[in-house]
Amino acid sequence: MTNSIKTDVLSISVQPYCQSSRLATDFPAFEAFTSRTQFIPFGQLSKLAVRIDLYNKLYDNSRHHKTRQTLYVNLRNRTSGDIISSRTVCVEIPWNVITKSERVDLPLRRDMIDDAATYYTVEVSAPSKSDGMLMSKSLEFIAVKKLPTKYYNPVSAYMERPEFSSELDLFNRRLTSVGSTFTFNLEVTFRLENTVTESPRLPELFMRFVGKDGHELIERCSLSVDGTCSGGDGTPVVEASCMIPQQLRVEGFVYAELQSMGYAFAAALFGVGSEDEEGELMHNDLRPVKSIDDETAMKILEVRKETYANLMRQNDRTDDNEEAGGGDPLESLVGLADVKSKLEAYRCLMTFYALRRRAGLPVPTTPLHCMFLGSPGTGKTTVAKRMGEILHECGALSSGHVVVRERSSLIGRFYGDEEKKTLEAIQEAHGGILFIDEAYQLHQTMDPKDPGRLVIESLMTALADTANRDWMLILAGYEEPMLDMLKLNPGLASRIPSSNMYRFADFSVDELYEIAVRYLNDSKFTLSDLAGEKLRSRLAADYACRDSSFGNARHVVNVIETEILPAMGRRISAIDHPTIADLTTLLPGDIPVGVTIRPVERRIGFAC
């Protein structure tokens, strides 16, 4: 008698895991399965979880109390044809249940996977005298030489709306974004073959959508190569598109995260509602968010809106400056002649390398990481931001943003948290600059157990990773303790050559006065002639008495904000009806005289 097949297989999905994975403890954990077909054969691999979605062919047949079906689940090497792992499972489905999902775990270790063979097949069959094959699913185990996130370089992303013709359609658009599609433009970082005669083989991508209240879904992206579009150096651009799932709850925002082999490398967040956010997000706005929720999403959208408004205002000011004959933004900085000269030489070198790279010529490896040496208030943070802009324009950094940290923000509550906090800071600075102020405080020679050394060790590990060049480390602080720190850390010194050390000298009296005048002019204040002379004298006295803690430009701002403007405020408050001139003109009486600190004379001998 022929064994009848009582079930059909609707779909198969797989997920490799190790003993420390969630799948090893949670069962059946069906929500962890996706339609992925590409996986990395990591060293701790122990099982291959297979989810089988079954259809009960005896559904609604009350003569059968339940459907019983024996299934054979095999993993086959498609190159050799050998079965490398298998399980037999007996499935029971009640007569009144139409579909059921079953999980089967196949033993699978790393040494069972042949590196010479990429393609494998999961086969589900049932006992039958005829062909009992129900369904098979192809999968790939790819031994990557770099993280999957390095296969593509995100360029931009946009959300495309369908055309709506009725009020009901508009209502659906406002509430659920029905029919909307997310598209990422990606530069490929590998060579595409057969792009003319046939479709190129691209690593698969998935899009993880997150909507209201953290509800999320993962969908496969459709990939296409736009032959008319290419990156700055001629590399083709891949379009990864995916329609927003209709079952996703979209209200206020929608977040789409792009993943390759389970690794997230790009994300886009758009506001949705009665007035949807439009336009194209560029590379700087495509960094994945570690944990996205309603509050975080709204905060990001608000900050981005404000940033865009500031950028528009800045562009307006730039246009005005250009019409008025304005020049290089570096030249707008007071003083810093040596730093400006060095930055200009560095800019020329990076531009030269960018031209060679676009022409297909080899480019020497240039260390980006550097040190800013100088006293507080000499413009180190400001120059770091300008340097980020320069390196981004030259193509040396993909975004050029600056992440500022100091010892207190890198030291954790518990011993050992430093590595995690440091790696998080490096990840946040990816594509830009990690600026660590007063970095010498991380090196405490008197305390061998000081947690600052863990930060330095984590930084050295990251600096040794030559594959990750899309970031820059700037260590800033006083010159003497910074150089001492390098002497005691040869590994760190080898990553920061002497040519990458920028020395920020203290501002002169004339430069301090120019900083003060610029600050007052920007705030719509003017100095009378006598007030200007008194302010210069005050700054000259402060400069003559300065020590290592002198704040330079920071000192000037403090004098204005905590002494001069309060004095002016007291004077103006006594005037019944002050004019515009009264409210904007500083008089000599508004400039307090500084306290001159004289060194204490020491006498030899005994006091009388």
Side-chain angles (χ1 to χ4, degrees), residues 272-467:
V272 297
S274 56
E275 294 184 2
D276 298 328
E277 188 177 18
E278 298 180 352
E280 190 173 20
L281 298 181
M282 304 311 291
H283 184 279
N284 294 354
D285 295 316
L286 300 182
R287 290 190 292 272
V289 180
K290 186 175 181 180
S291 179
I292 190 75
D293 54 28
D294 295 359
E295 182 180 356
T296 303
M298 293 299 104
K299 186 178 297 184
I300 292 174
L301 292 173
E302 182 179 349
V303 170
R304 192 164 70 199
K305 182 178 180 180
E306 180 63 26
T307 301
Y308 177 75
N310 291 337
L311 181 61
M312 295 300 294
R313 289 193 290 268
Q314 182 179 351
N315 289 340
D316 292 341
R317 289 195 297 267
T318 301
D319 293 341
D320 294 340
N321 290 337
E322 289 179 353
E323 293 177 2
D328 190 336
L330 277 177
E331 294 303 320
S332 65
L333 300 178
V334 177
L336 305 176
D338 292 340
V339 173
K340 291 177 182 177
S341 176
K342 200 165 185 176
L343 274 177
E344 181 58 30
Y346 198 66
R347 186 217 301 263
C348 293
L349 179 64
M350 292 296 102
T351 303
F352 168 59
Y353 285 166
L355 293 173
R356 284 183 58 91
R357 191 180 298 109
R358 292 171 186 170
L361 298 172
V363 176
T365 300
T366 304
L368 294 178
H369 314 298
C370 64
M371 272 191 171
F372 283 4
L373 308 176
S375 302
T378 49
K380 297 188 290 294
T381 306
T382 301
V383 171
K385 294 177 181 178
R386 300 292 173 88
M387 178 175 278
E389 296 171 4
I390 291 172
L391 294 180
H392 174 57
E393 292 171 0
C394 299
L397 293 175
S398 59
S399 66
H401 67 287
V402 178
V403 175
V404 180
R405 291 289 188 274
E406 54 188 15
R407 176 186 169 93
S408 60
S409 58
L410 294 174
I411 300 299
R413 180 180 178 185
F414 301 102
Y415 192 80
D417 287 349
E418 290 70 28
E419 180 180 5
K420 177 183 177 182
K421 285 180 171 288
T422 305
L423 293 179
E424 288 177 351
I426 294 173
Q427 180 65 27
E428 185 179 348
H430 181 74
I433 295 174
L434 175 58
F435 182 90
I436 301 181
D437 201 10
E438 308 300 336
Y440 59 88
Q441 294 182 359
L442 296 172
H443 182 79
Q444 304 290 339
T445 55
M446 303 302 294
D447 184 3
K449 293 185 178 181
D450 182 74
R453 67 180 180 83
L454 299 178
V455 176
I456 296 178
E457 291 173 1
S458 300
L459 289 173
M460 291 174 62
T461 301
L463 294 176
D465 183 7
T466 57

Side-chain angles (χ1 to χ4, degrees), residues 190-260:
F190 54 92
R191 183 178 179 181
L192 291 178
E193 299 179 355
N194 301 326
T195 55
V196 178
T197 58
E198 58 185 62
S199 298
R201 179 172 171 269
L202 300 167
E204 65 181 359
L205 294 178
F206 286 81
M207 210 172 286
R208 171 178 165 258
F209 291 97
V210 180
K212 186 70 174 175
D213 300 330
H215 184 56
E216 64 179 70
L217 293 168
I218 298 179
E219 300 288 338
R220 180 188 293 272
C221 297
S222 61
L223 303 179
S224 62
V225 179
D226 187 353
T228 62
C229 186
S230 62
D233 56 358
T235 57
V237 170
V238 172
E239 290 185 349
S241 301
C242 190
M243 185 175 292
I244 299 177
Q246 292 188 8
Q247 60 269 40
L248 185 73
R249 184 183 177 190
V250 176
E251 184 179 336
F253 76 95
V254 60
Y255 173 84
E257 186 176 82
L258 210 54
Q259 299 181 351
S260 176

Side-chain angles (χ1 to χ4, degrees), residues 526-538 563-565 567-568 570-571 585-594:
T526 59
L527 284 162
S528 68
D529 293 340
L530 292 178
E533 293 176 5
K534 190 173 181 181
L535 177 58
R536 182 187 291 273
S537 299
R538 164 64 191 271
E563 298 184 43
I564 295 176
L565 295 184
M568 182 183 182
R570 288 191 296 271
R571 176 174 61 82
T585 305
L586 287 162
L587 301 179
D590 300 328
I591 315 296
V593 178

Side-chain angles (χ1 to χ4, degrees), residues 111-132:
D111 57 9
M112 298 168 63
I113 298 175
D114 185 1
D115 286 339
T118 301
Y119 296 100
Y120 293 79
T121 303
V122 174
E123 301 170 343
V124 179
S125 59
S128 175
K129 291 186 177 179
S130 59
D131 184 12

